[in-house]
Amino acid sequence: MTTTGTDAGTNAGSAKPDLKAAADALTAGVGAVSRATEHAVGLGDDHQCFLYDLAHTASAMRICESLLDWGALGDAEARLACGFIADALGEFHARLFAREDQWGLEPGALDATRDFVAAYRNPAYVATMAGLDAPSHLDEDFELVAETFRRFGEDKIAPAAEHIHRGDTDIPEDIISGLAELGCFGLSVPEEYGGFASGAESDYLGMVIATEELSRASLGAGGSLITRPEILTRALERGGTEGQKKHWFPQIATGETMVAVAVTEPDYGSDVANLVVSASPTEGGWLISGTKTWCTFAGRADVLMLLARTDPDRRKAHRGLSLFIVPKPQAEGHSFQFIDERGGTIEGRAIATLGYRGMHSFEIAFDDWFVPAENLIGGDDGIGQGFYLQMAGFENGRLQTAARAVGVMQAAYDEARSYADERRVFGQPIAEYQLTQAKLGRMSAIIAAARQYSHEVARMMARGGGALEASMIKAYVCKAAEWVTREAQQIHGGFGFAEEYTVSRLFVDARVLSIFEGADETLCLKVIARRLQTQNA
């Protein structure tokens, strides 16, 4: 008999998964989020704390809903689904307690979930999830994609990852050329332009799978190399001219042209509408002036996808922005300076970072740097469309970032699990202690749920939807990666603080995930919460 009552206590470790109980509890949780979302309509910045928590809670509930069908595929899946759903509902309880009025909910709004959470968030049950490996349920083609990129990561990227991180060196050219040979940079480029994208569901899912596997080896030297070409590809696909597609797509697909993205500015961060870097018309093209920051991979890149203001009237905000492909020479190391034939300059300085090293994030100063007219994405029709075109690229970039987070989490979990089996404390392996098991069990559930939902969102995006869900999976998973990597490091004890152990790199790398591709606060408040409010208006 399945145990789901509050007397589960000592029996929780042997409790069987109960998807019917999970669905019933989730109905209460989703209903509470729905009522809170209706309450949120019309609320603004005076309620940021509530709206932020609502965005994260709604994101978690979406992931939970996706787990019900997945959980029916097998025992391991069901156990992980129940564990994750109970954990997410428990987190919802914590956010809601004594703040019901702010959420527009009545006290006891989640009482119907109490027995389920008691049973499946019980440490004894959570500990049973440690070591559970659910099948991928991918078909043979996607299994081959995963195996191919996993092997490349293990053979080529992982051996270099520590040296790149600790020395803050450039990514070796053999990694870049190797990924190019695998067709990595052409996964989103349409077949008719020399890439591998067929327009089918497989395009998005293949990208997510490849990104996760490369990120397991290294976030900075592997998983992130795909993202920037992907962002430019999506922007060109949405608004580029036919001539631009014919020119740039084949070069991107082969890795001949490597891409960086220059959107963020020192004073505006995620506030894209107020960007000030200007593009002024000149004979044969445009002159770029101003400063961009956090331009990852900008030194090695051959081109920058740059968002600039083509209308000097700042009152037009995002409607005055256009998107450019800005050529530049390749550069090694942490700084560069170039002068074009017209006398314009571009100068870059790498920002020293806590982690995510190898690609280097640059601050770049432009002074009348010339860009040919044909490099304005969309041509004349692209003037004023830059914000919308770059968002088309960033939506998929958020899904990719979630996949990167899954890869980093999986690597951290693997390191922690292996170390826990080997390390003996007080006469026995630490893997035999309940606290270690509970940590590993929660990690296992989070990783499985995140992976499953990232695949589902990839399928949504392939059908033309999934924009909100991509933001949701990015918001949830990137914060979760911080917890997973921290606890993986904690399991290592003092050795987790030593750079010679891989887990220390994973911990500092994970920290950037909630910052780039849309800072967590901006993503939650300006994207997720607003779209939820609009849907319920």
Side-chain angles (χ1 to χ4, degrees):
M1 178 177 177
T2 301
T3 303
T4 58
T6 54
D7 62 344
T10 58
N11 297 321
S14 59
K16 294 180 180 179
D18 186 342
L19 294 176
K20 173 62 168 59
D24 290 343
L26 190 55
T27 296
V30 171
V33 167
S34 179
R35 296 193 300 278
T37 303
E38 291 176 3
H39 171 70
V41 173
L43 298 183
D45 285 347
D46 289 343
H47 301 270
Q48 283 189 342
C49 291
F50 159 58
L51 293 172
Y52 177 81
D53 282 349
L54 175 64
H56 267 289
T57 303
S59 300
M61 292 299 104
R62 290 285 179 95
I63 298 173
C64 289
E65 288 180 293
S66 76
L67 292 178
L68 294 175
D69 289 340
W70 178 79
L73 297 176
D75 182 69
E77 294 89 334
R79 296 191 72 82
L80 291 164
C82 286
F84 182 86
I85 292 169
D87 192 67
L89 289 169
E91 290 291 305
F92 190 2
H93 273 275
R95 291 188 180 116
L96 186 60
F97 181 72
R99 295 176 59 205
E100 290 89 353
D101 59 329
Q102 297 175 38
W103 286 67
L105 296 172
E106 67 283 359
L110 295 178
D111 280 355
T113 71
R114 186 178 297 275
D115 286 355
F116 179 80
V117 173
Y120 295 101
R121 213 187 189 200
N122 187 298
Y125 179 86
V126 177
T128 69
M129 298 189 294
L132 280 183
D133 294 313
S136 69
H137 300 291
L138 298 172
D139 63 27
E140 290 184 3
D141 289 341
F142 288 125
E143 286 284 8
L144 180 60
V145 171
E147 181 182 348
T148 298
F149 284 98
R150 186 182 306 130
R151 186 183 304 118
F152 183 87
E154 292 172 349
D155 294 346
K156 298 295 184 181
I157 299 176
E162 286 303 313
H163 171 72
I164 293 169
H165 169 69
R166 293 169 71 176
D168 199 13
T169 63
D170 294 345
I171 298 173
E173 286 298 320
D174 65 335
I175 290 179
I176 296 172
S177 61
L179 289 174
E181 290 175 9
L182 289 176
C184 182
F185 304 120
L187 291 173
S188 297
V189 174
E191 290 175 339
E192 61 266 33
Y193 299 102
F196 299 97
S198 63
E201 181 179 286
S202 59
D203 299 345
Y204 284 86
L205 189 53
M207 176 62 70
V208 166
I209 293 167
T211 299
E212 178 190 335
E213 295 299 338
L214 293 174
S215 298
R216 287 179 68 174
S218 170
L219 178 66
S224 290
L225 277 171
I226 309 178
T227 307
R228 279 132 202 92
E230 167 80 5
I231 291 173
L232 177 55
T233 295
R234 296 296 178 190
L236 277 170
E237 191 175 37
R238 176 73 63 88
T241 67
E242 184 62 23
Q244 289 169 340
K245 293 174 182 178
K246 288 181 177 178
H247 179 78
W248 293 109
F249 276 161
Q251 297 181 39
I252 293 172
T254 61
E256 175 187 350
T257 293
M258 297 301 293
V259 181
V261 175
V263 171
T264 303
E265 296 181 11
D267 293 329
Y268 295 101
S270 298
D271 185 9
V272 175
N274 284 309
L275 298 183
V276 298
V277 167
S278 64
S280 304
T282 190
E283 182 179 354
W286 302 80
L287 297 177
I288 307 295
S289 292
T291 302
K292 292 288 187 180
T293 193
W294 297 114
C295 305
T296 303
F297 205 52
R300 170 59 178 82
D302 302 286
V303 299
L304 309 175
M305 188 191 90
L306 181 139
L307 189 64
R309 185 164 298 283
T310 47
D311 192 322
D313 184 354
R314 295 283 301 281
R315 292 173 299 180
K316 291 191 176 179
H318 64 274
R319 294 184 299 277
L321 302 172
S322 303
L323 198 61
F324 295 85
I325 299 175
V326 179
K328 58 166 287 293
Q330 292 182 13
E332 297 180 353
H334 295 74
S335 64
F336 60 84
Q337 183 177 25
F338 300 108
I339 302 174
D340 66 28
E341 59 186 17
R342 298 178 179 227
T345 62
I346 180 173
E347 184 174 356
R349 174 190 63 85
I351 302 166
T353 56
L354 179 71
Y356 191 51
R357 298 170 182 165
M359 300 191 80
H360 311 312
S361 293
F362 286 82
E363 182 166 283
I364 304 178
F366 302 87
D367 186 6
D368 286 344
W369 184 258
F370 178 73
V371 179
E374 59 267 23
N375 286 22
L376 169 61
I377 296 181
D380 289 342
D381 291 338
I383 295 177
Q385 297 300 307
F387 173 81
Y388 306 102
L389 296 178
Q390 67 96 17
M391 286 301 295
F394 272 46
E395 285 174 351
N396 195 62
R398 288 169 183 157
L399 173 60
Q400 268 196 298
T401 300
R404 287 186 278 180
V406 174
V408 172
M409 287 194 292
Q410 185 66 59
Y413 172 79
D414 291 342
E415 292 292 326
R417 184 173 164 186
S418 176
Y419 184 85
D421 286 336
E422 297 172 1
R423 176 66 168 168
R424 298 181 67 85
V425 175
F426 302 118
Q428 66 184 38
I430 60 173
E432 294 181 8
Y433 289 102
Q434 185 196 55
L435 183 57
T436 304
Q437 293 172 355
K439 289 181 178 184
L440 291 171
R442 186 170 187 243
M443 290 181 200
S444 186
I446 288 171
I447 294 166
R451 176 180 294 118
Q452 187 280 142
Y453 194 57
S454 70
H455 292 179
E456 183 166 319
V457 174
R459 297 184 179 101
M460 291 180 194
M461 296 193 79
R463 296 191 295 268
L468 172 58
E469 290 77 9
S471 295
M472 286 178 151
I473 186 69
K474 196 270 185 188
Y476 179 86
V477 176
C478 291
K479 283 200 72 174
E482 294 180 29
W483 182 85
V484 169
T485 54
R486 181 201 180 281
E487 293 304 323
Q489 185 185 42
Q490 188 70 22
I491 285 172
H492 281 72
F495 291 108
F497 201 62
E499 281 197 331
E500 65 184 278
Y501 278 76
T502 299
V503 73
S504 68
R505 168 172 56 86
L506 299 171
F507 174 66
V508 293
D509 279 355
R511 188 60 195 90
V512 77
L513 293 167
S514 287
I515 297 173
F516 64 11
E517 309 295 349
D520 184 53
E521 293 78 10
T522 300
L523 190 63
C524 287
L525 296 174
K526 303 300 184 183
V527 179
I528 299 173
R530 280 189 178 177
R531 292 188 185 180
L532 291 173
Q533 288 171 306
T534 300
Q535 290 175 359
N536 285 269

